[in-house]
Amino acid sequence: MKFRNRKLIAGVAGVGLIALAGLTGCASAAPASSQPTLDPDEEASITFTFWGNDVRAELYNEAIAAFEEQHPNIDVSVLFLSPNDYWEKRQIEASGGGLPDVVTMDLAYIRQYSQSGSLLDLEPYLGSIIQTDPIEPSVLGAGVVDGVTTAVPISTNAWSMFMNTTILDEIGVEPFAGGTWDDYYEWVAEVTDAAQAAGVPDVWGGVDPSSRFVNFEMQLRAEGKDLFDDEGNPGFDEERLTEYWEQGAAAREGGKFVPQQRVAEVQPLTAFDAGLGASDTQTDNFLAGYLANLGEGNEVTLQAPPLSVDGAKDLYLKASQMYSIAANSEHPAAAATLIDFLINSPESGEIFGTNRGLPASATAREAADLDPVSQDIVDYEASIADRLGDAPPAPIVGYGSLHEKFRELTEELNFGTLTVDQAVEQFFAEMDVVLNQ
């Protein structure tokens, strides 16, 4: 058994950003053996990288020490970076075919790295070295690109609706009782009118829901479609996007949403955690941050977002972080063993708690000491079980730029500087560039 001081190195990417289009990883990952196993006597040195801060680094320090105590033949070298520097460094490594053995992966990047051949096919390791029984099958699907599993989820979150019940009690309006998106738009207008009538300044029912790209995705999923399929084909046309943005036109023009100028003034806070809006949609893991920013005396509840199609499976458990193995790893079995420990072990669940998000593994989640906020999230995700469907295909290459364009256009809609038709035309022009680059 080995004992030594460990230092996690906080690296800084010091060169310019290299486009992922230029990655030169191997064309395809070499096939692994059908039943890979770990040789407990073979010495292996592997590298592992993640993004985070000093708090997370200390947790990984503890977890890696526990792993090495159980596996004295495996030496793990760790590199961590701030979120802003992390992907720049990974792109540089991938362009030279030199990714770390175990890479903490994000849903937004998995397709890019998978299609470049930079990641190993994990299928032979699932159920053999990496235990998958504790993870919901629908969650595991998030790591599949073009039919190949290249990542395993660490943690999950789900799309939700937040209600500031303190504001609602003050103006005498009940929280949204559920219903269709049209019902929700009517409720938002009711809250705004009630706040004005009660003489409560600077309070509205919420921000324009159509500003959220994910709300559009949820509506499409309720109709049995995805934003984009595995081939990158959109599940909507100009008419459907026009319909989506027109849903909020009356409330937008009637001043029922938080004004865009006020939204801009309180940044980097959102309108919700600045106390301007009584409701908002966002992933459930925002709960702790919202409560902290709103301050003592404010109560916030979580509930399912509106649904306009009865019985639809619009929601899904989203993988907030994942682990992948580099295609060029010389010790894939050792790398897979580390992944299994960091995802599934009770030790990992006890050490990390919800620092990386709500553990995707039931084994780790049961070992985690959940605070009341985390328990609220667990309860919420249990409450939406009947609306949970399979994870959508991994985001297309360029999804981030489309997400940002969508936000910019809805901002202009709310400033009144664009019409819906103009916004739709501009979005499809941007989408054409992204899909054909």
Side-chain angles (χ1 to χ4, degrees), residues 275-289:
L276 302 178
S279 67
D280 201 0
T281 50
Q282 190 49 268
T283 50
D284 54 20
N285 60 318
F286 272 61
L287 179 57

Side-chain angles (χ1 to χ4, degrees), residues 382-395:
S383 76
I384 58 173
D386 61 340
R387 280 178 61 173
L388 292 176
D390 291 336

Side-chain angles (χ1 to χ4, degrees), residues 85-431:
D85 293 329
Y86 183 85
W87 291 108
E88 181 176 354
K89 181 66 172 177
R90 299 293 80 77
Q91 291 175 55
I92 294 168
E93 293 166 340
S95 67
L99 281 174
D101 293 277
V102 178
V103 180
T104 303
M105 182 57 57
D106 184 86
L107 193 62
Y109 291 91
I110 184 175
R111 183 175 294 277
Q112 296 168 312
Y113 283 86
S114 297
Q115 292 182 340
S116 73
S118 298
L119 304 180
L120 188 70
D121 179 1
L122 299 181
E123 188 63 35
Y125 302 89
L126 302 183
S128 55
I129 295 180
I130 303 173
Q131 299 307 305
T132 55
D133 286 347
I135 305 173
E136 286 290 333
S138 62
V139 178
L140 284 170
V144 179
V145 177
D146 298 332
V148 178
T149 301
T150 55
V152 181
I154 305 168
S155 54
T156 65
N157 57 49
W159 199 244
S160 61
M161 176 162 282
F162 291 89
M163 292 279 148
N164 187 321
T165 55
T166 302
I167 288 178
L168 294 173
D169 288 345
E170 184 179 2
I171 62 178
V173 178
E174 291 294 319
F176 179 60
T180 67
W181 282 98
D182 286 338
D183 294 333
Y184 175 63
Y185 279 107
E186 292 177 5
W187 179 87
V188 167
E190 177 189 350
V191 172
T192 299
D193 291 345
Q196 294 175 354
V200 179
D202 232 17
V203 167
W204 291 263
V207 295
D208 181 356
S210 71
S211 65
R212 299 278 193 259
F213 203 22
V214 180
N215 283 338
F216 187 39
E217 179 189 18
M218 293 305 114
Q219 290 193 18
L220 292 174
R221 283 176 59 86
E223 298 163 8
K225 305 168 187 174
D226 285 308
L227 273 174
F228 299 95
D229 63 19
D230 251 333
E231 285 71 47
N233 301 309
F236 59 97
D237 55 17
E238 290 93 335
E239 182 179 357
R240 183 63 184 88
L241 181 55
T242 299
E243 177 188 340
Y244 175 74
W245 271 330
E246 287 287 4
Q247 276 185 318
R252 194 182 299 128
E253 294 162 7
K256 306 304 182 184
F257 300 134
V258 180
Q260 192 62 46
Q261 184 60 41
R262 292 294 291 123
V263 173
E265 288 170 355
V266 298
Q267 290 177 347
L269 295 178
T270 69
F272 186 81
D273 54 357
L276 302 178
S279 67
D280 201 0
T281 50
Q282 190 49 268
T283 50
D284 54 20
N285 60 318
F286 272 61
L287 179 57
Y290 282 163
L291 287 169
N293 289 331
L294 284 165
E296 290 187 17
N298 284 275
E299 293 187 357
V300 174
T301 60
L302 270 174
Q303 64 184 68
L307 178 64
S308 297
V309 181
D310 290 342
K313 303 288 187 181
D314 59 328
L315 302 176
Y316 61 94
L317 293 179
K318 178 185 175 184
S320 51
Q321 291 186 38
M322 299 181 282
Y323 290 136
S324 297
I325 298 177
N328 59 284
S329 174
E330 296 181 0
H331 301 285
T337 303
L338 174 61
I339 287 176
D340 181 67
F341 180 87
L342 292 176
I343 289 178
N344 285 313
S345 72
E347 294 93 337
S348 181
E350 185 176 351
I351 289 168
F352 286 101
T354 58
N355 179 271
R356 301 171 298 176
L358 192 65
S361 167
T363 306
R365 190 164 58 246
E366 288 167 2
D369 183 14
L370 300 181
D371 58 28
V373 171
S374 298
Q375 188 60 53
D376 284 344
I377 294 173
V378 171
D379 293 343
Y380 166 69
E381 292 188 4
S383 76
I384 58 173
D386 61 340
R387 280 178 61 173
L388 292 176
D390 291 336
I396 61 170
V397 176
Y399 173 85
S401 63
L402 285 180
H403 189 282
E404 178 61 16
K405 185 65 174 180
F406 197 93
R407 185 198 65 77
E408 291 173 355
L409 291 172
T410 51
E411 185 176 284
E412 292 194 55
L413 285 174
N414 280 282
F415 272 127
T417 55
L418 274 185
T419 66
V420 168
D421 287 343
Q422 290 170 330
V424 170
E425 181 181 359
Q426 290 190 30
F427 184 79
F428 269 79
E430 178 75 11
M431 190 166 68

